[in-house]
Amino acid sequence: MSSHREAPSISQDPVADNTDLYAFVSPDRPDTVTLIANYIPLENPAGGPNFYEFGHDVLYEIHVDNDGDNEDEVTYQFRFHTTVHNPNTFLYNTGPITSLTSPNWNRVQTYSVTRVSEGHKPEILGSGLLCPPVNIGPRSTPGYNALAKAAVHTLPGGIKVFAGQRREGFFVDLGSIFDLGDLRPFQNLHLIPTAAAPGVDATKDLSIHTIAIQVPKTQLTHDGSRPTNAADARSVIGVYASASRRKARIRAHDGESETGPWTQVSRLGNPLVNEVLIPMAMKDKWNSLRPSEDDEFLHFVQHPELAGLLPVLYPGVFPHLAAYAKPRADLAAILMTGIPTGIVPGFQNLTSAKPADLLRLNMAIPPSTSPNPLGIIGGDLAGYPNGRRVFDDAVTIEIRAIAGVTIPLVDPTFTPDGAAAAVTDGVGPGAGRYISQFPYLADPKSGFDVPAI
Amino acid sequence: MAELSRRTLLKTGSLSLIAGVVAISGIDRLASIPGLRTSSGAPDLSALGQDVVAHVRDASTGDVAIMVGTSEVIHRDPQLVGRLLAAARQANLEG
């Protein structure tokens, strides 16, 4: 949930709230890329009687820019349809759900996947695809893993797709970070000090709704080529996810209807941008715009509020950061343009000099044999900000980057504070969050096993 | 003739005015939109089978957005907007 309830309007509309976006070369199928867009933050597994589900009135999209113009040349669109087999019961299921076609499963969601690519007619890749049920408990959803596996669909062209509930993959000490920037392992140094303590994983039992699609790399490059040269611009794609609603909604006693064009209400590229870099008064506007319109937000990346707060919240810990007054070219490169050749040996993911918040993946860099959750700042070129894997520690990476650890990449005269390379919220992924095959996020915990959070 | 209250007269008069305005200007307005003129010149009130929403975007210029399906078109039609605003004012009075 690197972007959850991050703006005033979308915080009132969880079904359309982008929470995370991942893009990475599939470790078990390295000729493909996996794109994952998560929605609906802070799902309590015990979510009955009307369990969490995708919005039938929301257009969910994953956008890919493959020619460096910050506009999407390839878009995958997902629309959901809900069927209630027996409207005369209040129950989501009337008995054990032992298959995706179980007659006991009353409220079923299916979806369509459409590929929209520049210069071509929209192509429906699949329709009537079944979501898995949510994970309720041993009586309602016994053998849940089999249900989830059955919901991985293979589409023409070597594409795999999944849409449904998963275990939340993002890990963070949510309670402390938004308590005036407290990092529990370092809170003895905070302006309002208490004894240092281990980080608390606030999301370890939560669920999320995941849209995942695995696509051959050649379907994502601009010219259909296979990306093999990391220095080649054609190897890099920029990705963002969004949610849109129809412009007008009409409410009546016998139901609701919508009309008008699709209007974007949420988007997400890099983790934590709208969450902690964009100011309150502009967050809703940011959500309504395409990344190609991000010029007006560059200032907030170049002069992040959080970089000014860290020295205040942790007196005496960040003196070098406090004295640094130049625009943060390092953050602009990481988040808004991509990193050009010559900054990080063996790596580049530059898409355009014009700023746009896109998650940029160099598809020519193979999956790491020894992944480091700290990604590039940990020496792992296959990790964030080269795309983003499900286990990358986005919180620690971005806190350290904002604290100055990446400034020397663009300004060798700067020496980061010692603390910059050490700060963390103290939370790791823990066990059981991920699986080694598509869709890479583990089965959600059941409401029976997690009755209260 | 029954005595009319001022309110009744005003109510009747405004609706008539609106109807009169429609009668005078409707045909000319409709004639300017391709495909909308029926053989008799009367307005085509057949339903589209889906919601149609008119949003007065700028009363001062007469800009009205018409939304149907996933489309939205902006028309500059001061007379239509005037009629919509008159109906809205009436709704405010009655509400």
Side-chain angles (χ1 to χ4, degrees):
Chain A
M1 301 182 310
S2 63
S3 175
H4 76 289
R5 297 176 51 78
E6 86 288 354
S9 288
I10 204 61
S11 71
Q12 309 295 313
D13 189 6
V15 165
D17 189 357
N18 285 92
T19 62
D20 281 288
L21 174 67
Y22 304 97
F24 51 92
V25 175
S26 313
D28 52 336
R29 291 181 69 205
D31 58 339
T32 67
V33 164
T34 297
L35 306 172
I36 299 174
N38 285 349
Y39 298 85
I40 316 180
L42 300 169
E43 281 186 36
N44 185 332
N50 281 289
F51 295 94
Y52 293 100
E53 60 186 20
F54 291 105
H56 65 273
D57 49 358
V58 177
L59 172 62
Y60 299 92
E61 294 179 291
I62 300 175
H63 310 261
V64 178
D65 166 29
N66 61 19
D67 66 355
D69 65 353
N70 296 338
E71 301 285 0
D72 40 327
E73 284 69 47
V74 178
T75 300
Y76 297 97
Q77 297 183 330
F78 298 82
R79 294 294 318 280
F80 291 83
H81 179 75
T82 305
T83 302
V84 179
H85 296 296
N86 179 5
N88 297 313
T89 177
F90 71 95
L91 293 168
Y92 176 86
N93 59 294
T94 54
I97 303 170
T98 54
S99 75
L100 297 187
T101 55
S102 169
N104 293 328
W105 187 11
N106 189 34
R107 189 175 176 95
V108 180
Q109 276 204 319
T110 57
Y111 62 101
S112 64
V113 186
T114 302
R115 174 184 160 110
V116 180
S117 47
E118 191 178 50
H120 297 87
K121 289 183 181 176
E123 179 188 359
I124 297 176
L125 301 177
S127 62
L129 304 170
L130 281 161
C131 299
V134 295
N135 195 356
I136 301 172
R139 293 166 188 80
S140 295
T141 48
Y144 187 82
N145 184 253
L147 295 172
K149 283 184 174 173
V152 174
H153 304 284
T154 298
L155 303 179
I159 296 173
K160 284 186 184 178
V161 69
F162 171 94
Q165 194 180 54
R166 292 281 88 192
R167 177 120 178 244
E168 172 63 75
F170 181 70
F171 46 96
V172 61
D173 189 344
L174 205 58
S176 72
I177 278 189
F178 290 108
D179 185 14
L180 288 180
D182 179 44
L183 303 169
R184 288 184 214 258
F186 304 97
Q187 61 189 11
N188 55 309
L189 303 173
H190 194 276
L191 185 66
I192 307 172
T194 54
V200 174
D201 186 351
T203 63
K204 65 181 177 61
D205 293 325
L206 296 177
S207 303
I208 201 72
H209 264 63
T210 291
I211 293 173
I213 186 164
Q214 188 172 82
V215 183
K217 291 176 180 177
T218 52
Q219 294 182 22
L220 296 176
T221 52
H222 190 64
D223 60 359
S225 60
R226 184 182 305 277
T228 55
N229 180 0
D232 191 336
R234 293 176 298 171
S235 297
V236 180
I237 56 172
V239 186
Y240 76 102
S242 68
S244 300
R245 288 190 174 280
R246 303 285 284 279
K247 196 164 189 177
R249 170 174 276 181
I250 299 153
R251 291 188 174 86
H253 70 278
D254 57 350
E256 296 183 350
S257 59
E258 295 82 32
T259 194
W262 290 105
T263 304
Q264 187 176 295
V265 297
S266 177
R267 63 144 158 148
L268 175 56
N270 283 284
L272 301 169
V273 171
N274 203 17
E275 189 105 338
V276 301
L277 296 182
I278 307 301
M280 182 81 71
M282 299 190 74
K283 288 176 178 290
D284 289 339
K285 181 180 182 182
W286 189 93
N287 264 335
S288 74
L289 298 176
R290 299 189 311 276
S292 58
E293 302 171 272
D294 277 344
D295 279 3
E296 65 181 295
F297 303 107
L298 178 61
H299 172 83
F300 302 113
V301 175
Q302 293 174 321
H303 303 277
E305 180 184 7
L306 195 51
L309 289 175
L310 281 174
V312 174
L313 292 173
Y314 295 90
V317 177
F318 298 101
H320 297 175
L321 180 67
Y324 195 76
K326 299 177 188 176
R328 294 294 299 271
D330 56 316
L331 297 179
I334 291 169
L335 301 173
M336 301 296 264
T337 63
I339 299 171
T341 301
I343 302 296
V344 177
F347 177 75
Q348 65 87 19
N349 67 348
L350 180 73
T351 54
S352 170
K354 192 171 179 297
D357 177 23
L358 294 170
L359 190 62
R360 295 172 172 83
L361 174 66
N362 188 321
M363 297 186 287
I365 292 179
S368 173
T369 54
S370 299
N372 186 327
L374 292 180
I376 289 183
I377 67 169
D380 181 357
L381 299 186
Y384 183 73
N386 180 20
R388 181 184 171 200
R389 302 167 299 193
V390 293
F391 52 79
D392 282 334
D393 189 348
V395 172
T396 297
I397 293 169
E398 293 216 2
I399 289 177
R400 291 185 182 181
I402 289 173
V405 75
T406 48
I407 295 177
L409 293 174
V410 298
D411 183 355
T413 67
F414 179 79
T415 302
D417 300 295
V423 285
T424 173
D425 64 341
V427 174
R433 266 191 155 101
Y434 315 113
I435 54 178
S436 58
Q437 66 279 342
F438 184 84
Y440 304 104
L441 293 171
D443 289 347
K445 293 192 171 182
S446 74
F448 180 83
D449 288 331
V450 187
I453 291 184
Chain B
M1 183 175 75
E3 183 175 340
L4 298 175
S5 69
R6 182 166 184 272
R7 185 182 178 86
T8 305
L9 178 62
L10 284 171
K11 183 175 176 179
T12 305
S14 63
L15 288 173
S16 296
L17 177 61
I18 289 171
V21 168
V22 170
I24 291 169
S25 67
I27 293 175
D28 292 340
R29 172 72 185 98
L30 291 170
S32 70
I33 299 176
L36 286 185
R37 185 184 179 92
T38 63
S39 58
S40 65
D44 181 359
L45 299 182
S46 57
L48 290 177
Q50 50 189 325
D51 292 318
V52 177
V53 173
H55 171 216
V56 175
R57 287 169 54 96
D58 189 338
S60 67
T61 59
D63 284 352
V64 57
I66 308 296
M67 287 178 273
V68 60
T70 57
S71 299
E72 177 182 24
V73 292
I74 311 297
H75 284 295
R76 178 155 292 183
D77 191 337
Q79 296 205 359
L80 172 60
V81 169
R83 291 197 296 275
L84 290 171
L85 292 176
R89 291 187 193 99
Q90 188 65 34
N92 264 343
L93 279 177
E94 294 173 359

